[in-house]
Amino acid sequence: MKKLDKIYEGKAKILYTTEDPDLLIQYFKDDATAFNAQKRGVISEKGIMNNRIAAKIFEHLKTKGIETHYVECLSDREMLIKRVEIIPLEIIIRNRAAGSMCRLLGLSEGANLACPTIEYCYKNDGLGDPQINEYYIRALQFATDKEVGHITAMAFKINDLLKKFFFNLKIELIDFKIEFGRVQNRIILADEISPDTCRLWEVGTGNKLDKDRFRRDLGNIEEAYQEVLRRVSA
């Protein structure tokens, strides 16, 4: 598949058109950002690792009936994806307290929750991706009530599937962010699922295997991503 024009560049990925108007090439960068891009850096070969990890996860979800934008891997850093109209929402599912939830509510990191939670954020880097509710979504016409219901149900189903997937790899899924897009009147999973978008703690040790190592200057960042790749590829 021939790569043509660049149509989008974000913090972690670049999108290119192809000869097929319904397909794009998604290129994974090594750039790393945190705290709404206030902190910037580079994680060596992160793009390669996230491309491979995301592909493995998308392939697993497909076997469980979850439709995604993923088509196939083209190279170390590139995957072929379906062209979708991204819904401007970031969906965050939390299984245990961490990150902004702890800061907002005064909770201890890792505190147990009685059930998974869901948050909706307006996908806008300039505004810091503010958290919004279903009334905002309806008023601003980001999605219909029916679409929000579908997205919510899919997000919790994906959470159930990923918790089991990672637990079998001796990894606990603490929380994660996902995005959805419209294609041919359907809503499907888009973007990526990787250590950039998930909090992943090693079962037994609590060792962080995700971008928190970059956020908090914990060191061994590349090694953590490599370990996740090793386990999902086993």
Side-chain angles (χ1 to χ4, degrees):
M1 184 66 66
K2 186 177 180 181
K3 182 166 61 179
L4 300 177
D5 299 323
K6 180 169 77 172
I7 58 170
Y8 169 82
E9 181 168 2
K11 292 176 287 189
K13 295 179 292 295
I14 304 173
L15 297 180
Y16 297 91
T17 59
T18 69
E19 304 104 312
D20 188 329
D22 296 324
L23 297 174
L24 301 175
I25 291 174
Q26 181 167 259
Y27 175 92
F28 287 76
K29 300 159 58 176
D30 288 345
D31 296 359
T33 63
F35 311 118
N36 293 318
Q38 293 179 29
K39 180 176 183 178
R40 295 176 179 272
V42 173
I43 300 174
S44 178
E45 298 191 346
K46 177 175 78 75
I48 295 173
M49 293 183 281
N50 279 356
N51 182 38
R52 292 175 176 174
I53 291 167
K56 290 290 184 181
I57 292 172
F58 283 143
E59 289 166 1
H60 173 73
L61 290 175
K62 181 180 179 181
T63 68
K64 302 299 181 180
I66 301 295
E67 186 178 7
T68 80
H69 72 164
Y70 172 77
V71 178
E72 64 177 328
C73 266
L74 297 177
S75 68
D76 280 349
R77 292 181 180 272
E78 296 173 330
M79 65 169 57
L80 188 66
I81 60 171
K82 300 169 189 173
R83 187 171 197 153
V84 304
E85 175 198 354
I86 288 290
I87 296 170
L89 298 173
E90 295 185 347
I91 312 302
I92 301 169
I93 298 286
R94 300 184 186 276
N95 296 305
R96 292 174 67 181
S100 61
M101 187 178 199
C102 294
R103 293 192 298 273
L104 287 170
L105 303 178
L107 300 173
S108 299
E109 184 178 59
N112 290 323
L113 304 174
C115 61
T117 68
I118 189 166
E119 298 168 15
Y120 310 98
C121 295
Y122 174 37
K123 182 176 167 61
N124 186 308
D125 289 341
L127 298 176
D129 303 320
Q131 188 173 337
I132 59 176
N133 60 36
E134 294 182 36
Y135 289 92
Y136 281 68
I137 296 171
R138 182 186 303 124
L140 298 171
Q141 298 183 307
F142 293 153
T144 66
D145 289 351
K146 182 177 180 181
E147 287 176 330
V148 172
H150 181 65
I151 287 169
T152 301
M154 282 186 68
F156 280 120
K157 181 177 180 182
I158 290 166
N159 182 50
D160 288 340
L161 294 170
L162 291 183
K163 280 197 299 184
K164 294 175 184 174
F165 173 79
F166 281 117
F167 190 75
N168 287 335
L169 305 176
K170 306 302 182 186
I171 297 173
E172 183 176 2
L173 177 62
I174 303 302
D175 59 35
F176 64 101
K177 182 270 293 182
I178 49 178
E179 298 178 20
F180 293 90
R182 299 183 185 94
V183 58
Q184 298 176 351
N185 298 317
R186 304 189 312 280
I187 291 179
I188 65 174
L189 181 64
D191 195 45
E192 68 175 290
I193 298 177
S194 73
D196 269 15
T197 63
C198 302
R199 279 192 173 89
L200 304 169
W201 295 359
E202 185 176 42
V203 172
T205 69
N207 187 35
K208 293 175 174 59
L209 301 174
D210 55 66
K211 198 165 74 170
D212 267 352
R213 304 202 71 84
F214 170 75
R215 292 186 187 99
R216 302 185 184 185
D217 297 317
L218 298 177
N220 301 116
I221 304 168
E222 290 85 359
E223 289 83 355
Y225 280 63
Q226 288 166 0
E227 181 60 21
V228 175
L229 176 58
R230 184 188 70 79
R231 295 192 191 194
V232 301
S233 302

